[in-house]
Amino acid sequence: YKTCQSVFPDSLNINAPRRTIRVLESLGANLEAPDTVCVGIPFDLIAHPTKLVPGFGWKFGDTTATKQTLYPDTIENYKYNFVGTYSVKMYPISAGTLCTDTATKNITVTDVKADFDMDQSELPLIKFTNKSIGAVRYLWNFGHLSSGPKNFSTLEHPTHSFVGDSGSFVVCLFAFNAQDCWDSICKRTLPAELRIVMPNVFTPDD
């Protein structure tokens, strides 16, 4: 292939052909969205065109097909079902020959999974092993209301004594990640028997 280069218009050649270039108006676009969202939790994408437009086109960066919405609906509610980073694109739908801008926003989707095991070999004392994934802070509810403030804990691997009460209890763990996404799980303990400690006193005969 042959190529050529030239400067237009060519000021050195007065007989060079002249061309008229028409510069079209450009329609700007801005997109407002969070930097980080949680898996499965809806959030808002807000379109901000620089001028009044008939509608908007949306590309969410996942397997969802391109979507179009009509003005004045400038808010698109969306959610992601998988962890990852997605590039969202929004472009105003132009009327006539307007050139349109495309606004892009990268959104990171995070998740957290709550889980725990219970060691009930020393009832009424139970030891809890936290098996949560992606969590940085925790809230435990031992379901033992009669224990007062001790019914709750923010430790990663707490212990709790159910002494004084019989029956079983529902223990719930709430796990949060750095972006405050959260998950919870509840498990029922084995029946905790009431243990009465008898004093071991020996009085010898006189």
Side-chain angles (χ1 to χ4, degrees), residues 18-156:
R18 296 182 178 274
R19 296 290 186 269
T20 300
I21 299 176
R22 183 163 62 98
V23 179
L24 300 178
E25 182 181 5
S26 178
L27 179 60
N30 295 299
L31 174 60
E32 180 183 348
D35 295 323
T36 306
V37 299
C38 305
V39 165
I41 303 300
F43 62 96
D44 287 337
L45 298 161
I46 306 175
H48 293 291
T50 56
K51 290 190 176 183
L52 185 65
V53 294
F56 310 94
W58 299 91
K59 294 182 179 180
F60 303 104
D62 56 4
T63 57
T64 304
T66 300
K67 180 179 180 180
Q68 290 189 350
T69 56
L70 298 178
Y71 189 86
D73 188 6
T74 59
I75 301 176
E76 175 65 18
N77 191 258
Y78 198 71
K79 69 177 180 179
Y80 291 103
N81 295 317
F82 301 98
V83 171
T85 299
Y86 300 87
S87 181
V88 179
K89 296 181 179 181
M90 182 279 296
Y91 55 92
I93 299 174
S94 63
T97 57
L98 285 177
C99 298
T100 59
D101 187 17
T102 299
T104 303
K105 175 73 174 183
N106 290 328
I107 298 177
T108 300
V109 183
T110 65
D111 196 14
V112 61
K113 182 68 176 177
D115 194 14
F116 65 91
D117 284 337
M118 296 184 288
D119 179 358
Q120 304 184 69
S121 62
E122 301 178 26
L123 286 174
L125 180 70
I126 298 181
K127 299 177 181 179
F128 298 92
T129 300
N130 197 327
K131 298 170 60 180
S132 300
I133 299 174
V136 296
R137 62 185 181 90
Y138 314 94
L139 175 62
W140 296 83
N141 183 337
F142 300 114
H144 188 204
L145 295 179
S146 63
S147 64
K150 295 182 179 180
N151 184 49
F152 303 95
S153 176
T154 57
L155 297 176
E156 184 175 0

